[in-house]
Amino acid sequence: MPKDMSLLEKDGAPTTEELQAFFRKHDFSLQVSSFDVNTASESENRLYIRATKIFRGSWNEQVYALGGKKTLRNFSKNDPLRCLEDSDEKMVSGTVAEIASDEDLFQSIIDSVFSSFQNELYASALKLAEQNGKTIDDLTDEEIALVIDSFSDELLASMMGKLLLTQSVPEILSVLKTDRAHEDYNPSVLENHDQIDFIRRWEHSRTKIGQLLCFDEMVQADLQNDDGNIEIPVYVEDEDEEKLYREFCSVLTDEERMIADMRLKHMTHKEIADALGYKTHNAITKKLKKMHDKFIDMRG
């Protein structure tokens, strides 16, 4: 199958929209390097580790700049952004190690970078020289190295930002902010504030109505009364709160009440999805959000 060369043959740099369309068509997240840490030399693996650290630093900075204000370590390994990060890391770091181990390829890429960004590098060197009262010819090797390192950092940040935009990271972040589940969080983090905030929202512990929507806090009881009607037991002392809670239960569908019953048993979103025949736990997460919206609408 011939390679798609449309972006490489294009005159000038492609726009973000063109890159997004290209990567959506070719599923960029599946592209991984053939680099193998088990067969690579010690020096190649050292370079791979160094490239990994540099990549993670730049990748996380760009995620933060695009709206990801939380640390990814708070989330499980199956979190979409963590999966994307792992995929990109293996591809970028592995490719760097492969390139560096091929002297001819490495030199050709260095030549390409310096020829393509000659004006930018010259401007950076001139700025440093003027700051130190020198001409460019008077700059030492160490100062030239500083110019190259600084430029490389800026170039990497720009490329990484473009990469995350093509992978629709802002859109992914937007979805993740509203559709989380209990199993999305990393249990090994002792003080996982993202998980704490999620649980508080799930239990509505910050609302005036307190435990009325906290299905996990209810005791297990028979939900079927003598008339065959489904009821969810209410354990509150305030009569107004009890009335409001029963009113809320009356607007739930039978399936929503089944979901409530399963949450009483401390079943996870995935376990509920499996029990009700849904393919993923996201369906349950959405239904729970819909139940919450019903409650908000009911209160007006």
Side-chain angles (χ1 to χ4, degrees):
M1 182 177 180
K3 292 183 178 180
D4 186 342
M5 304 291 286
S6 57
L7 290 183
L8 297 178
E9 296 172 348
K10 174 182 171 57
D11 292 333
T15 64
T16 298
E17 290 74 18
E18 289 172 330
L19 286 169
Q20 286 178 329
F22 180 87
F23 288 127
R24 286 192 181 113
K25 180 179 178 182
H26 299 285
D27 196 358
F28 185 63
S29 63
L30 296 180
Q31 303 300 315
V32 297
S33 170
S34 58
F35 180 80
D36 186 353
V37 295
N38 296 314
T39 59
S41 67
E42 184 177 344
S43 61
E44 289 172 341
N45 276 325
R46 282 200 301 269
L47 180 59
Y48 177 84
I49 294 172
R50 182 183 179 191
T52 296
K53 291 181 179 179
I54 294 173
F55 164 83
R56 280 189 176 273
S58 182
W59 202 91
N60 288 320
E61 284 180 5
Q62 294 305 314
V63 169
Y64 186 89
L66 293 174
K69 306 302 183 184
K70 305 293 185 179
T71 174
L72 290 183
R73 75 183 186 90
N74 283 353
F75 301 98
S76 72
K77 64 180 180 179
N78 296 321
D79 178 82
L81 276 184
R82 290 200 63 177
C83 290
L84 186 60
E85 180 188 38
D86 289 342
S87 177
D88 285 351
E89 174 197 308
K90 292 176 182 177
M91 179 194 66
V92 173
S93 301
T95 302
V96 167
E98 287 181 334
I99 291 173
S101 63
D102 186 328
E103 187 175 344
D104 292 337
L105 178 59
F106 180 76
Q107 188 59 51
S108 67
I109 290 177
I110 292 297
D111 292 342
S112 176
V113 169
F114 275 85
S115 61
S116 299
F117 297 99
Q118 182 178 3
N119 292 336
E120 289 82 356
L121 283 166
Y122 181 84
S124 297
L126 181 60
K127 181 179 180 180
L128 179 61
E130 291 175 346
Q131 289 175 346
N132 292 280
K134 298 181 178 181
T135 66
I136 289 183
D137 292 336
D138 294 331
L139 291 175
T140 65
D141 291 344
E142 289 78 9
E143 289 172 326
I144 293 295
L146 287 175
V147 170
I148 295 175
D149 286 344
S150 177
F151 172 77
S152 299
D153 289 342
E154 294 178 4
L155 179 61
L156 178 61
S158 175
M159 293 174 62
M160 198 65 69
K162 185 76 74 172
L163 171 64
L164 298 192
L165 286 175
T166 63
Q167 294 176 327
S168 301
V169 167
E171 291 84 351
I172 295 174
L173 284 167
S174 177
V175 172
L176 292 179
K177 287 178 180 178
T178 56
D179 293 297
R180 284 289 186 188
H182 287 269
E183 52 266 37
D184 289 339
Y185 298 92
N186 185 356
S188 64
V189 178
L190 296 179
E191 294 188 12
N192 192 333
H193 296 289
D194 292 304
Q195 186 175 31
I196 292 172
D197 288 342
F198 170 80
I199 292 174
R200 285 173 175 169
R201 289 195 301 271
W202 164 250
E203 295 181 349
H204 297 268
S205 60
R206 289 175 173 169
T207 64
K208 292 181 180 179
I209 201 166
Q211 295 183 333
L212 293 183
L213 292 183
C214 180
F215 300 130
D216 286 340
E217 295 292 329
M218 296 179 185
V219 296
Q220 179 61 33
D222 184 7
L223 301 185
Q224 196 89 13
N225 65 15
D226 295 336
D227 298 328
N229 296 319
I230 296 176
E231 290 185 352
I232 297 179
V234 180
Y235 301 98
V236 293
E237 296 180 0
D238 189 283
E239 292 184 1
D240 291 334
E241 288 187 349
E242 181 175 347
K243 180 181 178 181
L244 180 60
Y245 184 77
R246 291 188 180 280
E247 183 182 351
F248 167 64
C249 291
S250 70
V251 302
L252 297 178
T253 66
D254 289 346
E255 184 182 55
E256 288 170 342
R257 295 185 186 187
M258 290 174 62
I259 293 174
D261 183 27
M262 294 178 189
R263 289 300 297 152
L264 281 169
K265 300 173 184 177
H266 303 286
M267 294 173 63
T268 66
H269 292 203
K270 185 178 186 304
E271 289 170 339
I272 296 174
D274 292 340
L276 296 180
Y278 290 99
K279 293 182 178 180
T280 68
H281 73 271
N282 289 332
I284 302 303
T285 302
K286 292 177 181 178
K287 287 183 179 295
L288 288 167
K289 183 179 184 302
K290 185 177 179 181
M291 292 165 66
H292 172 261
D293 292 340
K294 283 185 176 181
F295 176 75
I296 298 300
D297 292 341
M298 183 193 71
R299 296 192 69 188

